[in-house]
């Protein structure tokens, strides 16, 4: 009787309480991996709070003795990017202006397309889905020159509309794949019941499918925000100088050499650029795992 109660308490078996060589190896691997990935972050953080005199002492792992936030203020407001010394704040506003509409439009388009390909299958829908899937795995560098020519031909090259639509185009295959798989896992009886009640394409999508897809929407937001915010190549090519995102401004700050190189400002600018996607990921990380698992039921 005692063994039965113990089995019910620990449905997956008793918790191991001995440190075996195998478990010690796993712990050692985890610790080494954490140190490998966290060490650059540690160096960036401590360097960003040091003065230039401390940096010249070449004690890269030492904590700052004269703690200062001046490098962060300078990185945000007065660091030079070429001939302009406005810091990262202009790039931050540009990144927000690019990321918000690009994320919303790509997710909305992917959800509608995935919904139609999963529940409103017509002749040729599988071929269209296959072509979209192929687009997700082709290197996007091969599309850059044709897109430059097309946007230049219609006089939209180097504009805000240009960079937003480019991000929507490149994000559409993955978004369609995610939502198509997610909607395919929804019980078909729910869709048929709505059809019997007279609901049409948009009524079912807005009132039933979209509210059900909250976990997948969160996954899509994380993927698109991190991808678009961290993008450098597309922003450099398509955004135009007045719309350069934060990553391009960071590159210009790091590579601008006027007098002594300010490593503390460079490190502060790098952390500021990475802060937004990191914050979104840490706030919604558990939803990311749930959404990926929910969309992986059917292919």
């Amino acid at each position: 009787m005692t063994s039965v109660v113990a089995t019910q308490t620990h449905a997956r078996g008793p918790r191991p309480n001995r440190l075996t060589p195998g478990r010690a190896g796993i712990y050692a691997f985890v610790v080494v991996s954490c140190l490998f990935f966290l060490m650059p972050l540690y160096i960036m953080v401590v360097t960003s709070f040091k003065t230039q005199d401390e940096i010249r002492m070449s004690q890269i792992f030492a904590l700052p003795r004269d703690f200062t936030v001046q490098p962060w203020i300078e990185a945000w407001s007065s660091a030079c990017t070429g001939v302009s010394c406005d810091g990262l704040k202009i790039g931050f506003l540009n990144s927000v202006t690019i990321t918000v509409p690009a994320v919303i439009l790509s997710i909305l388009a992917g959800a509608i397309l995935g919904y139609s390909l999963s529940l409103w299958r017509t002749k040729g829908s599988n071929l269209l889905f296959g072509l979209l899937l192929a687009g997700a795995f082709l290197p996007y560098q091969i599309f850059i020159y044709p897109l430059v020519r097309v946007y230049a031909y219609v006089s939209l090259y180097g504009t805000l509309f240009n960079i937003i639509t480019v991000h929507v185009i490149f994000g559409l295959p993955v978004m369609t794949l995610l939502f198509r798989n997610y909607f395919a896992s929804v019980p078909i009886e729910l869709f048929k019941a709505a059809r019997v009640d007279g609901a049409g394409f948009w009524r079912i999508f807005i009132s039933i499918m979209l509210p059900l897809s909250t976990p997948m929407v969160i996954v899509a937001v994380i993927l698109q925000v991190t991808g678009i915010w961290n993008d450098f190549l597309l922003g450099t090519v398509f955004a135009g100088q007045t719309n350069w995102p934060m990553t391009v401004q960071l590159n210009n700050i790091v590579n601008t050499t006027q007098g002594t190189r300010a490593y503390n400002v460079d490190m502060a600018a790098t952390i500021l650029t990475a802060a937004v996607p990191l914050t979104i990921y840490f706030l919604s990380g558990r939803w990311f795992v749930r959404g990926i698992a929910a969309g992986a039921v059917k292919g």
Side-chain angles (χ1 to χ4, degrees):
M1 184 65 180
T2 305
S3 60
V4 173
V5 173
T7 302
Q8 292 175 346
T9 304
H10 303 287
R12 298 179 181 178
R15 178 180 298 178
N17 52 10
R18 291 192 308 167
L19 185 61
T20 62
R23 295 182 64 193
I26 293 174
Y27 291 148
F29 176 76
V30 172
V31 170
V32 172
S33 299
C34 290
L35 290 175
F36 178 81
F37 288 106
L38 291 178
M39 189 59 69
L41 178 62
Y42 169 77
I43 294 173
M44 290 170 58
V45 172
V46 297
T47 304
S48 67
F49 290 108
K50 290 180 179 177
T51 61
Q52 282 291 89
D53 293 335
E54 284 189 72
I55 293 175
R56 293 192 187 95
M57 297 172 67
S58 301
Q59 296 177 349
I60 192 171
F61 296 106
L63 293 172
R65 287 183 297 183
D66 299 325
F67 187 89
T68 176
V69 295
Q70 185 60 34
W72 292 75
I73 299 174
E74 187 175 344
W76 178 257
S77 60
S78 62
C80 292
T81 58
V83 296
S84 175
C85 294
D86 297 322
L88 279 175
K89 60 179 183 293
I90 303 298
F92 175 80
L93 295 176
N94 290 339
S95 289
V96 172
T97 307
I98 294 171
T99 302
V100 172
V103 168
I104 294 174
L105 292 175
S106 60
I107 292 176
L108 187 60
I112 295 173
L113 198 53
Y115 161 66
S116 62
L117 289 175
S118 60
L119 299 175
W120 295 81
R121 295 184 179 182
T122 58
K123 187 177 181 180
S125 59
N126 289 332
L127 176 62
L128 176 60
F129 180 66
L131 292 175
L132 276 172
L133 208 58
F137 295 103
L138 288 175
Y140 64 87
Q141 288 85 352
I142 65 174
F143 299 105
I144 289 180
Y145 182 68
L147 284 174
V148 168
R149 297 297 301 168
V150 169
Y151 280 104
Y153 181 77
V154 296
S155 302
L156 290 174
Y157 177 69
T159 62
L160 187 61
F161 177 83
N162 187 180
I163 184 62
I164 290 175
T165 52
V166 165
H167 280 304
V168 173
I169 292 171
F170 283 115
L172 192 57
V174 175
M175 294 298 103
T176 303
L177 175 64
L178 289 175
F179 281 99
R180 188 255 187 193
N181 288 351
Y182 184 79
F183 288 132
S185 66
V186 174
I188 192 63
E189 292 77 13
L190 196 61
F191 173 75
K192 291 181 178 178
R195 290 291 293 154
V196 170
D197 291 339
F201 182 93
W202 293 109
R203 181 68 173 174
I204 296 175
F205 176 72
I206 296 173
S207 300
I208 300 176
M209 295 302 165
L210 204 55
L212 286 176
S213 61
T214 302
M216 189 52 62
V217 170
I218 294 175
V219 171
V221 168
I222 294 174
L223 290 177
Q224 285 298 87
V225 168
T226 54
I228 296 173
W229 190 276
N230 293 329
D231 165 68
F232 173 78
L233 180 59
L234 298 180
T236 304
V237 175
F238 294 102
Q241 187 171 356
T242 57
N243 301 310
W244 274 345
M246 208 171 183
T247 50
V248 180
Q249 301 284 13
L250 170 65
N251 174 74
N252 293 340
I253 288 175
V254 174
N255 290 317
T256 297
T257 55
Q258 295 180 355
T260 305
R261 182 176 292 278
Y263 290 105
N264 49 1
V265 176
D266 294 345
M267 297 298 178
T270 304
I271 297 172
L272 285 171
T273 304
V276 171
L278 283 177
T279 302
I280 292 177
Y281 181 78
F282 283 123
L283 290 178
S284 54
R286 62 190 182 98
W287 289 96
F288 182 80
V289 177
R290 291 182 185 179
I292 288 292
V297 176
K298 290 186 178 181

